[in-house]
Structures are given as structure tokens and as C-alpha cells.
């Protein structure tokens, strides 16, 4: 069969390596690594060793031959109101610094352990107090909606932050498609539960003691705001698993842990749903988890954050944290009757 | 078992230097080759922190081990290992101040106050630094009996270090718990000594 020219809706027919010019991030990880190994004279050392030993030596510095999860190019628009001028965090930092305890509690565990993750078949169910329950498969996620790119700041509760170009569609659009009942007060989310694929769900030591499946929730007003975003892509391509493939929530005005990954269920309800970190340590992690420099985590200050940007170890910047992570204009109204010290 | 000879001790010390230095070399290589994750900062802080806590365990293992093996000479490795506790703890705090706080000294004070686990770590570090500074033979001789009194403060560090570790993690309970048990066991072995120390004060 001859491939049709142009685009099917959603997934671009152009090969994944043919990125748009403005989307190209230097894939400098490999090049740099080789150069430095060379500069250290380890290249020469390696070359003088027999093949097997050589492989072992380079395994130590990351398995270069490990097949990476295959991502595909996406077709999307760039709505003006969601583009910000902040410098983007480089792709290889976004894909190699992840909290995704299902794949291990260290920041680099998800990158190491998730590459074999199967996203096809996938089922995302939208159910509960809706007019028409929906089930989306993998293809639906990239074809049922007009995809757009939104650049959002991401602020982790651990006081670091990134600037991320997501591709996806708004949560409100999906909920409107399903038709939310007027009895609805909250929306609950659930991550895939698959201990065979997610070693952290199998092993308590590796999974950080979280009760799986990971669950999250929003009020209906929050969910219908323009900001909540279901991301199916990152840097113009489908999401890698460590970032929550094939579909994740992104809530830029809340701490990162609210932005649940690898979602399989969205349930509209009339009760406040349980949320994973709140279950684990309620006095440290509230239901709302709005980014708020005025309200410290019981153990940490939240007044500032380390912004992970371009460049090496000494190039990061420490910046003051903004109320609602800088999205006050869009969301402050949602909380005008709420004491954010109490409802943290 | 044969008595350890001074030459054997030199070999053991050499081996210890290699074992304590190689993780640092390994860390530098990991960071330089981009293999310490997308944000190496937390990786480095965690790695050096664990280095300090593991070295502390090892230094506390020496005397029970020497007793068990009836090799008194082994006790002479304690200063060496203890100094590596100081080295790793210094790298740990240096990484925190330089890479995480980015030398925002104003924040440092705030952070110490707002994050109690950092205060616990800071107290432990100050004690370790005092022990390191007084580890020279000349000072030891000059201090006489006071030296041992001061160096028994390592028991306080053995209590503070696992608290600092436990308090700093978000949800992982198991690993810090293992360290609590290890330190508790090592302190239990010294219970009579510690009692004596506390009564004398």
C-alpha cells in the first residue's frame, strides 16, 4: 500500500525523524557522552579492550544499545494564548528526570525502566455522571481531537521546575463531549494498574509505599477551566512512557504530582475522590495542591524553586515561586472563597 | 587467626582509600557522561548523602569487628574511615549549597529554619566536622581524656543521620528503616560504653 501524502488527522505521515525545524532539540546526549568519554582517554582504554569487556565498560555509562520506546510525530496547532516566552527545558532533561514511582522512586528510574512499556492496546474510559460514557483507544487519543501545543510551567512539590511543550487537548473538551451531569461535583482519575509492566506496583520497596493504582481528582469547576490539559505528546512527538504515555493530565497551577500519568479512567462523581499522596500523608499533601509560595510544605519551604533549563550542572537558576505557578489570572477565581492555608 | 601485621594494616588502609574514593570518581564520570539523570543535582546530593551515611555505618562497625576478630590493630582504620564520613558529608552539603540553593545564602538560613530535617543534618555535620578537625595525633595528645569524650559524640551523629535521611524522603519508608535498625544495632553493641559516657557528663 502506498502511504497517502499529507496528514491523517492527528498523526503526521511524515516519518518521526522529520521534525519541524522549530521543534528540533539537539539530541546531544549521545554525542556529548561519547566526546567526554573520549576526552577522558577512556575511548582509547576501551578500544584496547576485547569486545565483551568494551560492551561492559559502556554499559556502565548507560546502555547505548537499549531500544528506546518508539515515539511518533504529531500534527498540531499552536494557539497563541498558550505560548509563553520562557526558555524551554531541553527534551532530554524532561525525559530523564521523572517522578513516576510505578517505575521506581529515583528520578532516572522511569527512563531506565519504562522503555518497554506497552501502550497499545489502550483504553481510556470516561464514565460516571456523564450523558454518554466514552471509551477512547490509542488511535482516538490522537485523532478524535484537534491537537494543540501548549507550553506550560511545571512546578514539582520538591521545589524544582521545568518549562514543557505539551501536545494534546483540553480536558474540558473531552468532558463536554461526554456531557457532564449537573449533579457532578468532582472528577476522579486513575493510572493504569499493571504490576507486570510497572515494577513499582509489584514491589513495595521500589514503588515508594504508594497504594496503587495511583489516583487523583479535581473539582468540576477546576476540570472545566481552560488550563487542564490531556497531553498525548511532548516536544511534537507522542509521549514517552516515563512522561506518562499514552495520555496524562497536566495541571500547570498545581504541584506536579496532581498531573496524573498514563490515565485509564476518568470518572465524573458527586463526591471528592481520594488522591494518592493525600492518602499517604494527608498533613503534607492536600487535595488541592495549588502551587503557593505562601504556604510551606510542613517540611520544606515553597518560596523559591530551582528552574531546570538549558546547559550543565551550574547553569540552573533559583527563582521565586509565583502564586498558582504564574497562572493566577486563569484560576484564582476558583479559590476566592477558600482558605488556601487550610485547603492546601 | 594470625595477628595483623603493620604491613597488613597498610594494605587494608590502601584498600579502604580505594573503596572510598572510587565512588567519588564513579559519580564524577556519571555526571560528566550525562548518566546521572536529566537533573543530576538531586542525584549528586543523594549519592553523597548515602556515601556519608554508609561510611558512618562502616566506621561504627570497625570496633565490634575488631573485637570479634580479635584484631586490635583494625581500630587504627577508624580515623581514616571517619575522615571519609566528613568528606562525603562535606560534598553533600557543598552540592546542596552550590547546586540546589545556587549559593543563595539568604535562602540557606531560611531553608535551615523551615526544613527541620536540614537543621538535623546541619547539627550532624557540625559534629562530624569537629571530630575531623580534632583527629590529628598532636591534637589528640594535647586533649588527653577530653578527646575521647568529644569523639563519643559520634553516637549522637548515629542518631541524627538516620533521622535526617528518613525526614528527607517523600514516602520511601523501607530504606530509611533499614538504616534505623543498623544504627540501633551498632549503638546497642556499645550500650555499656554509652551509659558510662552519659553518666560522666
Amino acid at each position: 500500500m502506498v502511504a497517502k501524502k499529507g496528514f491523517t488527522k492527528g498523526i503526521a505521515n511524515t516519518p518521526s525523524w522529520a521534525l519541524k525545524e522549530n521543534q528540533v532539540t539537539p539530541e546531544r546526549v549521545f554525542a556529548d557522552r561519547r566526546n567526554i568519554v573520549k576526552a577522558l582517554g577512556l575511548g582509547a582504554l576501551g578500544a584496547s579492550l576485547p569486545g565483551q569487556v568494551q560492551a561492559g565498560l559502556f554499559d556502565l555509562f548507560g546502555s547505548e544499545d537499549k531500544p528506546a520506546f518508539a515515539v511518533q510525530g504529531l500534527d498540531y496547532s499552536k494557539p497563541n494564548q498558550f505560548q509563553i516566552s520562557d526558555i524551554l527545558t531541553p527534551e532530554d532533561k524532561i525525559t530523564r528526570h521523572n517522578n513516576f514511582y510505578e517505575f521506581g522512586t529515583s528520578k532516572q528510574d522511569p527512563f531506565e525502566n519504562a522503555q518497554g512499556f506497552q501502550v497499545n492496546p489502550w483504553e481510556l474510559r470516561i464514565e460516571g455522571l456523564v450523558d454518554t460514557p466514552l471509551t477512547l483507544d490509542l488511535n482516538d487519543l490522537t485523532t478524535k481531537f484537534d491537537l494543540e501545543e501548549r507550553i506550560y510551567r511545571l512546578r514539582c512539590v520538591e521545589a524544582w521546575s521545568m518549562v514543557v511543550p505539551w501536545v494534546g487537548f483540553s480536558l474540558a473538551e473531552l468532558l463536554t463531549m461526554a456531557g457532564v451531569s449537573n449533579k457532578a461535583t468532582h472528577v476522579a482519575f486513575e493510572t493504569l494498574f499493571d504490576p507486570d509492566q510497572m515494577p513499582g506496583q509489584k514491589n513495595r520497596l521500589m514503588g515508594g509505599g504508594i497504594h496503587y493504582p495511583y489516583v487523583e481528582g479535581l473539582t468540576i469547576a477546576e476540570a472545566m477551566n481552560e488550563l487542564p490539559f490531556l497531553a498525548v505528546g511532548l516536544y511534537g512527538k507522542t509521549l514517552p512512557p516515563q512522561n506518562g504515555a499514552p495520555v496524562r493530565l497536566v495541571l500547570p497551577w498545581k504541584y506536579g504530582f496532581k498531573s496524573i500519568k498514563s490515565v485509564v479512567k476518568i470518572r465524573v462523581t458527586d463526591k471528592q475522590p481520594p488522591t494518592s499522596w493525600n492518602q499517604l500523608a494527608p498533613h503534607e499533601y492536600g487535595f488541592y495542591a495549588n502551587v503557593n509560595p505562601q504556604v510551606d510544605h510542613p517540611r520544606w519551604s515553597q518560596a523559591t524553586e530551582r528552574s531546570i533549563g538549558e546547559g550543565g550542572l551550574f547553569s540552573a537558576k533559583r527563582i521565586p515561586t509565583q502564586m498558582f505557578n504564574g497562572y493566577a489570572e486563569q484560576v484564582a477565581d476558583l479559590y476566592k472563597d477558600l482558605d488556601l492555608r487550610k485547603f492546601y | 587467626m594470625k595477628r595483623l601485621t603493620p604491613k597488613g594494616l597498610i594494605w587494608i588502609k590502601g584498600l579502604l582509600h580505594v573503596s572510598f574514593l572510587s565512588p567519588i570518581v564513579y559519580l564524577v564520570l556519571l555526571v560528566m557522561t550525562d548518566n546521572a539523570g536529566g537533573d543530576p543535582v538531586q542525584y549528586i546530593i543523594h549519592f553523597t548523602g548515602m556515601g556519608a551515611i554508609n561510611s558512618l555505618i562502616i566506621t561504627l562497625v570497625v570496633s565490634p569487628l575488631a573485637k570479634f576478630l580479635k584484631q586490635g590493630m583494625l581500630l587504627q582504620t577508624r580515623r581514616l574511615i571517619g575522615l571519609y564520613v566528613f568528606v562525603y558529608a562535606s560534598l553533600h552539603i557543598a552540592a546542596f549549597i552550590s547546586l540546589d540553593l545556587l549559593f543563595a545564602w539568604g535562602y540557606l538560613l531560611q531553608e535551615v529554619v523551615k526544613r527541620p530535617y536540614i537543621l538535623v543534618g546541619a547539627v550532624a555535620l557540625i559534629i562530624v566536622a569537629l571530630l575531623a578537625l580534632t583527629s590529628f595525633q598532636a591534637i589528640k595528645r594535647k586533649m588527653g581524656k577530653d578527646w575521647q569524650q568529644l569523639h563519643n559524640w559520634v553516637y549522637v551523629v548515629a542518631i541524627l543521620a538516620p533521622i535526617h535521611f528518613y525526614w528527607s524522603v517523600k514516602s520511601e519508608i523501607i530504606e530509611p528503616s533499614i538504616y534505623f535498625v543498623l544504627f540501633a544495632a551498632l549503638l546497642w553493641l556499645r550500650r555499656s560504653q554509652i551509659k558510662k559516657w552519659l553518666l560522666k557528663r
Side-chain angles (χ1 to χ4, degrees):
Chain A
M1 207 175 88
V2 183
K4 263 187 265 170
K5 262 229 156 134
F7 296 112
T8 53
K9 201 171 176 195
I11 294 184
N13 274 344
T14 40
S16 64
W17 44 263
L19 296 172
K20 288 172 203 152
E21 218 174 330
N22 57 355
Q23 289 305 122
V24 175
T25 317
E27 301 266 353
R28 53 189 177 72
V29 193
F30 290 133
D32 264 12
R33 181 190 309 163
R34 289 225 174 79
N35 287 341
I36 292 166
V37 171
K38 246 185 252 163
L40 287 169
L42 282 172
L45 177 67
S48 65
L49 294 170
Q52 201 129 43
V53 183
Q54 226 183 94
L57 180 70
F58 284 103
D59 277 350
L60 185 71
F61 303 119
S63 24
E64 313 223 339
D65 303 318
K66 199 197 266 179
F69 181 85
V71 291
Q72 285 173 286
L74 293 167
D75 176 30
Y76 52 88
S77 64
K78 294 181 170 211
N80 272 333
Q81 71 267 39
F82 299 115
Q83 310 301 311
I84 51 177
S85 57
D86 302 39
I87 293 168
L88 300 185
T89 302
E91 185 176 355
D92 60 278
K93 294 190 181 180
I94 299 173
T95 57
R96 281 153 53 93
H97 183 74
N98 307 99
N99 277 322
F100 198 170
Y101 281 17
E102 281 82 344
F103 294 105
T105 54
S106 295
K107 294 290 179 295
Q108 55 283 350
D109 282 347
F111 170 77
E112 297 282 331
N113 299 331
Q115 297 308 310
F117 188 57
Q118 298 293 322
V119 296
N120 203 8
W122 194 265
E123 245 182 34
L124 169 60
R125 301 219 310 269
I126 297 90
E127 54 182 44
L129 301 173
V130 290
D131 301 335
T132 36
L134 303 169
T135 302
L136 305 180
D137 65 18
L138 184 69
N139 190 47
D140 293 337
L141 290 172
T142 49
T143 55
K144 255 197 149 74
F145 305 87
D146 290 325
L147 298 183
E148 53 186 55
E149 182 177 73
R150 294 187 181 187
I151 299 170
Y152 276 159
R153 295 180 206 95
L154 179 143
R155 168 64 154 80
C156 179
V157 73
E158 297 161 357
W160 52 265
S161 64
M162 291 181 171
V163 181
V164 188
W166 301 109
V167 179
F169 49 91
S170 82
L171 173 66
E173 199 181 330
L174 174 66
L175 291 176
T176 308
M177 187 184 278
V180 174
S181 147
N182 49 22
K183 275 181 280 181
T185 60
H186 288 83
V187 186
F189 302 84
E190 197 174 303
T191 297
L192 177 72
F193 183 72
D194 185 353
D196 286 338
Q197 287 212 73
M198 296 175 149
Q201 293 178 338
K202 208 176 222 168
N203 179 328
R204 225 184 126 75
L205 180 60
M206 200 174 172
I210 288 180
H211 180 76
Y212 293 111
Y214 196 94
V215 288
E216 258 306 335
L218 293 171
T219 67
I220 203 78
E222 289 176 325
M224 297 309 282
N225 185 274
E226 60 174 345
L227 290 181
F229 195 57
L230 285 166
V232 296
L234 169 68
Y235 263 105
K237 296 164 284 185
T238 51
L239 282 176
Q242 64 272 29
N243 293 89
V247 59
R248 66 169 293 170
L249 188 63
V250 186
L251 305 164
W253 77 99
K254 292 176 181 286
Y255 293 120
F257 66 85
K258 288 291 286 187
S259 293
I260 186 170
K261 290 168 170 161
S262 302
V263 183
V264 292
K265 204 198 285 180
I266 298 176
R267 188 175 179 80
V268 179
T269 79
D270 55 3
K271 285 181 220 41
Q272 179 175 309
T275 64
S276 284
W277 280 97
N278 181 250
Q279 282 178 321
L280 194 74
H283 65 291
E284 296 191 4
Y285 310 99
F287 174 79
Y288 288 94
N290 291 314
V291 175
N292 186 344
Q294 315 291 323
V295 177
D296 286 332
H297 180 281
R299 292 183 282 149
W300 316 319
S301 155
Q302 293 294 11
T304 66
E305 67 205 41
R306 189 167 48 82
S307 147
I308 299 174
E310 294 182 310
L313 208 49
F314 295 95
S315 63
K317 280 196 272 302
R318 190 157 270 278
I319 53 177
T321 291
Q322 299 179 66
M323 189 64 204
F324 298 118
N325 201 22
Y327 297 92
E329 204 183 304
Q330 288 92 338
V331 298
D333 258 12
L334 296 169
Y335 310 105
K336 58 181 189 292
D337 303 320
L338 215 56
D339 176 1
L340 292 175
R341 266 175 204 288
K342 220 169 132 201
F343 297 93
Y344 48 85
Chain B
M1 196 190 257
K2 255 174 56 185
R3 262 284 159 76
L4 196 59
T5 61
K7 210 175 163 193
L9 185 69
I10 289 175
W11 274 103
I12 289 177
K13 281 187 174 176
L15 205 69
L16 284 169
H17 278 296
V18 172
S19 338
F20 282 106
L21 285 172
S22 49
I24 298 174
V25 175
Y26 176 68
L27 177 65
V28 170
L29 283 175
L30 279 183
V31 172
M32 290 182 76
T33 57
D34 252 338
N35 279 286
D39 175 34
V41 175
Q42 288 183 333
Y43 189 95
I44 295 168
I45 292 173
H46 191 236
F47 188 101
T48 49
M50 293 315 295
I53 218 165
N54 288 332
S55 313
L56 184 63
I57 292 269
I58 296 168
T59 188
L60 289 171
V61 161
V62 171
S63 87
L65 187 72
K67 216 182 274 174
F68 178 74
L69 296 176
K70 300 196 172 65
Q71 297 284 1
M73 214 176 230
L74 271 183
L75 294 180
Q76 292 182 38
T77 60
R78 277 189 303 186
R79 177 170 71 168
L80 182 160
I81 304 169
L83 283 171
Y84 277 107
V85 177
F86 178 62
V87 167
Y88 277 97
S90 305
L91 290 174
H92 180 63
I93 184 76
F96 174 63
I97 292 173
S98 64
L99 303 177
D100 192 353
L101 291 187
L102 303 157
F103 298 108
W105 298 105
Y107 291 141
L108 179 64
L109 205 66
Q110 276 178 37
E111 294 294 281
V112 168
V113 175
K114 283 185 174 172
R115 306 192 196 182
Y117 79 88
I118 292 180
L119 188 62
V120 170
V123 172
L125 177 74
I126 290 167
I127 298 173
V128 169
L130 282 175
L131 303 191
L133 286 172
T134 56
S135 66
F136 303 99
Q137 279 302 337
I139 297 179
K140 185 175 178 178
R141 243 175 270 130
K142 218 178 242 171
M143 285 179 73
K145 265 188 185 158
D146 294 338
W147 189 90
Q148 192 56 56
Q149 285 298 99
L150 176 66
H151 280 246
N152 282 346
W153 277 80
V154 70
Y155 305 138
V156 177
V157 179
I159 294 166
L160 296 179
I163 293 175
H164 172 70
F165 180 32
Y166 164 75
W167 222 342
S168 69
V169 298
K170 261 188 350 189
S171 75
E172 304 92 296
I173 308 280
I174 296 171
E175 207 186 344
S177 308
I178 294 170
Y179 279 96
F180 266 118
V181 170
L182 283 174
F183 278 113
L186 289 167
L187 290 175
W188 175 251
L189 288 174
R190 297 166 160 84
R191 58 195 179 279
S192 59
Q193 221 172 318
I194 293 172
K195 216 188 216 166
K196 236 189 280 166
W197 175 57
L198 290 174
L199 287 176
K200 232 188 250 172
R201 295 172 45 78

